Amino acid sequence: MDVDDLFEFPQDDLRKFNVNYSYAYCQIPTNGNFIATITLGVADCYLPVLTTYTLNGEIIDEKALAIGYGLVDCGHHTEDYMILKKDYTIYVSDTLKVCECDSSYKIIEETCEQYVIYREGRLLSDGKIELTKTLRKNIRE
């Protein structure tokens, strides 16, 4: 993702609005009397973070909208997905295919499993962000 055109939060005077090293991505319409933004937290990749603020700029709530199970290793393939719908429901997932590898780094197909790790939730009208614990669903081939 190209972040050249995005605002980078400085680590000093704007720290009270965003404590993590990140880029401002967008402000979203809300279902209450508060401000909501999505920032991209800097890690091995850019992780979306939903933050809500009072109209005076005080943080109400903040949640990462990513699962983060991705491993870079033989036999691991992941796909991240996140959606915030118009009705303020949230779905975040990481679809994984995990396999063992032999000593030549060749995948042993019969050891593979596929599953989805996900969280569901919603943005409440008071600015709080509600998310379930991390859940798992196996995928059949």
Side-chain angles (χ1 to χ4, degrees):
M1 176 173 218
D2 183 11
V3 295
D4 290 342
D5 294 332
L6 300 179
F7 175 78
E8 182 179 348
F9 280 97
Q11 296 296 305
D12 47 11
D13 55 338
L14 295 179
R15 196 126 175 97
K16 69 179 182 176
F17 301 111
N18 189 302
V19 297
N20 299 310
Y21 177 48
S22 62
Y23 292 92
Y25 184 70
C26 68
Q27 181 176 341
I28 61 172
T30 65
N31 55 350
N33 197 22
F34 59 93
I35 297 166
T37 64
I38 295 180
T39 55
L40 301 175
V42 178
D44 290 342
C45 58
Y46 298 106
L47 300 174
V49 176
L50 175 60
T51 307
T52 56
Y53 302 89
T54 66
L55 299 180
N56 294 328
E58 297 171 14
I59 294 176
I60 299 170
D61 205 353
E62 182 177 74
K63 297 275 191 296
L65 300 180
I67 300 294
Y69 272 70
L71 299 172
V72 179
D73 197 4
C74 177
H76 287 82
H77 176 77
T78 68
E79 291 183 30
D80 297 308
Y81 181 78
M82 183 277 292
I83 188 166
L84 174 59
K85 294 183 179 179
K86 288 181 182 181
D87 67 356
Y88 301 101
T89 56
I90 299 167
Y91 178 79
V92 180
S93 69
D94 197 351
T95 304
L96 296 96
K97 182 175 182 180
V98 180
C99 310
E100 292 180 25
C101 294
D102 64 18
S103 59
S104 301
Y105 293 99
K106 184 177 176 185
I107 291 174
I108 306 169
E109 288 295 332
E110 60 271 13
T111 67
C112 296
E113 18 171 10
Q114 286 188 296
Y115 53 94
V116 177
I117 303 292
Y118 67 98
R119 297 177 79 186
E120 296 176 305
R122 60 193 171 130
L123 176 58
L124 303 175
S125 60
D126 64 358
K128 294 287 185 182
I129 304 161
E130 189 176 81
L131 284 175
T132 64
K133 64 180 181 174
T134 302
L135 304 168
R136 177 181 166 146
K137 182 177 182 177
N138 290 329
I139 300 173
R140 297 180 192 199
E141 286 192 18

